[in-house]
């Protein structure tokens, strides 16, 4: 029981101190070492270098290209004015009376096209602020509105999304980014619908009035922005090329060399999804530069450097949370939790997978971090359980991805903290609505997904 109490205390400290603004890069290794010290007395240095840092480094090695290319692509979208044009076009098309839906869809289009949710938050905030002010809607709903569009259905549910949360399950289950597309669309629609209904209800309940101004404005972009077609084309390319490389190009490549020790003794099935996203983001970024050469040429080097820098903090924060989770997973008490999780669903591995992934995402405050830990420690177990129960790997993939998108948005989540900072609001003012659209809604969608998957299988 002491070990379980230590795990709970470490998680509580992580949430509280992250809420207080302590850097995750400092917080996670300190809490990891303290947890080992209190639970089993050491060895402390070995825990730090051989467990924490090995897990942290392993995550960076495997997923840094996706973070890097996603951040560069997003920065190019921002610097070219494409992000603002897309958001503004959707808002104009729907009108101020649909301000909440307009902001949700603006965020969704950009994140589904591969733009980092951090970039989306910065790009959409000034437009959302102006639109909410014009519609006389309460500013306290802006963070939840942005979170619904950027942190939920486009991150975990919609098939083909280039989000890291959709990429991590692929090497474990041998799947692709379009796993269980029908179920993904249904889960995504539920998240969108429930979240939108809640925000509209809250807008009526709070009543008219924007509130005091606060927050930072984003760069206005180039003086002559691109057309809506030019702004949207790179996002379309990301999705189209992702599909093309996943099912057309990469399966036809000669990849027998991957069985050699030099290349990790693997096969193309484990790498196809990651390779597809890397290729899609690379070609889409080149197309974006070509389409916006006059807008980007003068600041291209500066923009690329900024994008590369923007990738560092998100991946190191996420990787450090993976390291924290790995240390927690190494504690003896974690075995009790793991054994309970594996049996929690009875004969249904989907329930067990959902519970385990959700809990770890909540413990780390990171969807990708929690997912990585769950799959690294239990991925093979779940795959075997799925095979024994006749559950498709595609269904395991989609349940895993959607399960990460609920408890990950607890108050210590880095994206939540960043979003509130951008909007100039506090947890007390705005987190309740974030929790409803980014925690409760995704959990409801997950329950429906599991029920449909159990009844009808993957589709």
């Amino acid at each position: 029981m002491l070990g379980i109490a230590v795990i709970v205390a470490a998680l509580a400290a992580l949430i509280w101190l992250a809420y207080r603004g302590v850097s995750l890069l400092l917080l996670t290794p300190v809490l990891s070492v303290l947890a080992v010290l209190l639970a089993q007395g050491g060895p402390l240095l070995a825990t730090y270098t051989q467990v924490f840092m090995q897990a942290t480094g392993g995550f960076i090695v495997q997923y840094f290209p996706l973070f890097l290319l996603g951040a560069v692509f997003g920065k190019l979208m921002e610097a070219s004015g494409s992000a603002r044009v897309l958001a503004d076009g959707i808002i104009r098309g729907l009108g101020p009376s649909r301000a909440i839906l307009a902001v949700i869809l603006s965020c969704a289009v950009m994140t589904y096209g591969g733009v980092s949710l951090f970039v989306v938050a910065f790009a959409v905030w000034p437009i959302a602020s102006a639109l909410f002010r014009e519609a006389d809607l309460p500013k306290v709903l802006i963070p939840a509105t942005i979170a619904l569009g950027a942190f939920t259905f486009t991150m975990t549910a919609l098939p083909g999304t280039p989000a890291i949360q959709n990429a991590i399950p692929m090497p474990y289950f041998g799947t692709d980014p379009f796993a269980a597309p029908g179920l993904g669309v249904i889960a995504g629609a539920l998240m969108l619908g429930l979240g939108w209904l809640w925000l509209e209800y809250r807008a009526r309940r709070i009543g008219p009035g924007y509130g005091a101004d606060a927050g930072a404005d984003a760069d206005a972009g180039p003086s002559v922005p691109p057309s809506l077609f030019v702004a949207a084309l790179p996002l379309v390319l990301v999705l189209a090329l992702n599909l093309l490389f996943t099912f057309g190009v990469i399966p036809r490549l000669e990849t027998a060399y991957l069985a050699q020790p030099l290349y990790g003794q693997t096969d193309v099935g484990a790498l196809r999804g990651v390779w597809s996203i890397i290729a899609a983001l690379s070609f889409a970024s080149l197309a974006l530069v070509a389409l916006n050469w006059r807008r980007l040429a003068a600041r291209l080097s500066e923009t690329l450097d900024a994008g590369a820098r923007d990738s560092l903090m998100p991946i190191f924060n996420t990787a450090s949370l993976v390291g924290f989770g790995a240390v927690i997973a190494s504690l003896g008490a974690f075995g009790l939790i793991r054994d309970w999780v594996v049996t929690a669903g009875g004969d249904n591995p989907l329930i067990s997978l959902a519970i385990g992934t959700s809990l770890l995402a909540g413990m780390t405050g990171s969807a990708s971090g929690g997912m990585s830990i769950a799959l690294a420690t239990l991925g093979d177990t779940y795959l075997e359980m799925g095979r024994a129960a006749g559950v498709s790997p595609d269904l395991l993939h989609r349940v895993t991805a959607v399960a990460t998108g609920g408890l990950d948005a607890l108050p210590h989540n880095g994206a939540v903290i960043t979003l509130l900072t951008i909007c100039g609001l506090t947890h007390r003012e705005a987190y309740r609505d974030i929790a409803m659209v980014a925690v409760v809604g995704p959990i409801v969608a997950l329950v429906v997904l599991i029920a449909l998957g159990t009844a009808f299988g993957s589709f």
Side-chain angles (χ1 to χ4, degrees):
M1 292 301 295
L2 174 63
I4 295 178
V6 168
I7 291 175
V8 173
L11 174 59
L14 178 65
I15 293 173
W16 186 75
L17 291 172
Y19 171 80
R20 301 288 296 178
V22 179
S23 168
L24 290 175
L25 297 180
L26 298 174
L27 184 59
T28 49
V30 170
L31 287 177
S32 297
V33 170
L34 284 176
V36 171
L37 177 64
L38 294 174
Q40 54 194 39
L44 303 185
L45 290 176
T47 295
Y48 178 65
T49 61
Q50 305 306 115
V51 181
F52 179 89
M53 285 308 303
Q54 290 293 326
T56 299
F59 183 87
I60 294 171
V61 166
Q62 190 165 9
Y63 297 110
F64 179 65
L66 303 188
F67 278 80
L68 174 64
L69 291 170
V72 168
F73 180 78
K75 200 65 179 179
L76 290 170
M77 288 288 293
E78 180 185 13
S80 66
S82 298
R84 183 178 291 272
V85 166
L86 283 171
D88 197 35
I90 293 173
I91 289 169
R92 285 199 313 271
L94 293 174
S97 63
R98 290 287 182 266
I100 291 176
L101 181 60
V103 174
I104 294 170
L105 294 181
S106 299
C107 297
V109 167
M110 284 187 277
T111 51
Y112 195 45
V115 182
S116 164
L117 58 88
F118 293 97
V119 173
V120 169
F122 278 105
V124 172
W125 152 246
I127 301 171
S129 176
L131 189 64
F132 271 53
R133 189 181 296 109
E134 180 181 349
D136 204 26
L137 290 170
K139 183 186 66 176
V140 294
L141 294 180
I142 293 180
T145 306
I146 294 175
L148 177 58
F151 300 1
T152 61
F153 58 97
T154 57
M155 185 179 80
T156 63
L158 295 188
T161 176
I164 188 71
Q165 291 79 8
N166 194 41
I168 291 174
M170 295 187 295
Y172 293 97
F173 298 136
T175 51
D176 58 66
F178 299 88
L183 290 170
V185 169
I186 292 172
L190 276 173
M191 293 182 207
L192 170 59
L194 292 174
W196 181 28
L197 288 174
W198 172 260
L199 292 171
E200 293 287 356
Y201 160 76
R202 286 284 289 157
R204 292 191 300 270
R205 183 69 180 267
I206 297 172
Y210 178 78
D213 282 325
D217 289 338
D219 184 358
S223 57
V224 181
S227 66
L228 184 59
F229 174 80
V230 171
L233 184 57
L235 302 183
V236 175
L237 283 176
V238 171
L239 296 176
L241 291 173
N242 190 1
L243 186 63
L244 176 64
F245 277 100
T246 297
F247 298 109
V249 176
I250 292 178
R252 291 180 170 81
L253 297 178
E254 174 52 51
T255 56
Y257 61 88
L258 291 174
Q260 300 176 21
L262 177 63
Y263 300 107
Q265 294 180 308
T266 185
D267 58 68
V268 72
L271 300 173
R272 179 178 60 169
V274 174
W275 283 5
S276 298
I277 296 176
I278 290 174
L281 285 172
S282 297
F283 282 107
S285 296
L286 291 174
L288 203 164
V289 172
L291 290 168
N292 296 277
W293 179 252
R294 292 184 179 180
R295 301 178 187 89
L296 293 171
R299 299 188 300 165
L300 182 58
S301 178
E302 176 186 343
T303 301
L304 294 174
D305 287 345
R309 289 194 301 270
D310 286 350
S311 71
L312 298 180
M313 188 57 69
I315 192 170
F316 273 93
N317 277 338
T318 302
S320 66
L321 288 167
V322 171
F324 170 81
V327 172
I328 295 299
S330 72
L331 299 178
F334 182 82
L336 300 176
I337 299 174
R338 180 189 59 210
D339 293 343
W340 173 79
V341 165
V342 170
T343 60
D347 295 331
N348 190 338
L350 298 179
I351 297 176
S352 170
L353 176 60
I355 292 174
T357 306
S358 295
L359 287 177
L360 286 167
M363 289 173 65
T364 61
S366 167
S368 54
M371 180 191 297
S372 296
I373 298 166
L375 294 180
T377 56
L378 295 170
D380 291 340
T381 300
Y382 286 129
L383 186 59
E384 289 303 319
M385 290 171 63
R387 287 172 178 165
V391 176
S392 164
D394 283 357
L395 182 53
L396 294 174
H397 173 132
R398 191 54 56 203
V399 168
T400 303
V402 172
T404 64
L407 297 183
D408 71 306
L410 291 176
H412 62 300
N413 176 269
V416 169
I417 294 171
T418 299
L419 178 58
L420 291 172
T421 302
I422 292 170
C423 298
L425 296 166
T426 65
H427 281 75
R428 184 184 298 275
E429 293 171 314
Y431 181 73
R432 173 188 177 186
D433 297 302
I434 294 175
M436 289 301 298
V437 303
V439 178
V440 176
I443 290 176
V444 172
L446 174 63
V447 172
V448 173
L449 170 61
I450 293 173
L452 290 175
T454 301
F456 303 105
S458 178
F459 61 88

